[in-house]
Amino acid sequence: MKNHIRELRKAKGLRQEDLAAALGVSRQTIIAIENNKYNPTLELAMKLARYLHTTVEQLFIPEESP
């Protein structure tokens, strides 16, 4: 699943460490999510959306099936 986390984080002037600390996760978790290596739990996705002032639907883009 693709996402817009990196773009929104940078637009707000946040470092990965800042976002991770605010959400109670590790920096490695933020890196993995931004690089599409890890899909967050629904709870974490909602926290991310809330913190970045957006919706889960706008934050994450499902990959289309062929």
Side-chain angles (χ1 to χ4, degrees), residues 1-63:
M1 184 173 301
K2 305 280 185 199
N3 65 72
H4 296 292
I5 296 169
R6 179 176 288 127
E7 295 87 358
L8 291 172
R9 175 182 58 76
K10 287 184 175 185
K12 294 190 177 292
L14 295 169
R15 299 175 306 154
Q16 290 171 329
E17 294 89 345
D18 301 329
L19 184 56
L23 299 173
V25 298
S26 69
R27 178 175 173 256
Q28 288 77 15
T29 298
I30 299 300
I31 292 168
I33 295 170
E34 286 185 351
N35 290 325
N36 302 309
K37 302 286 186 199
Y38 172 71
N39 289 326
T41 63
L42 180 57
E43 181 181 1
L44 181 53
M46 292 173 73
K47 286 181 182 180
L48 278 162
R50 197 172 308 123
Y51 192 81
L52 295 171
H53 299 103
T54 189
T55 64
V56 172
E57 293 83 3
Q58 291 174 329
L59 194 58
F60 294 94
I61 306 117
E63 295 185 37

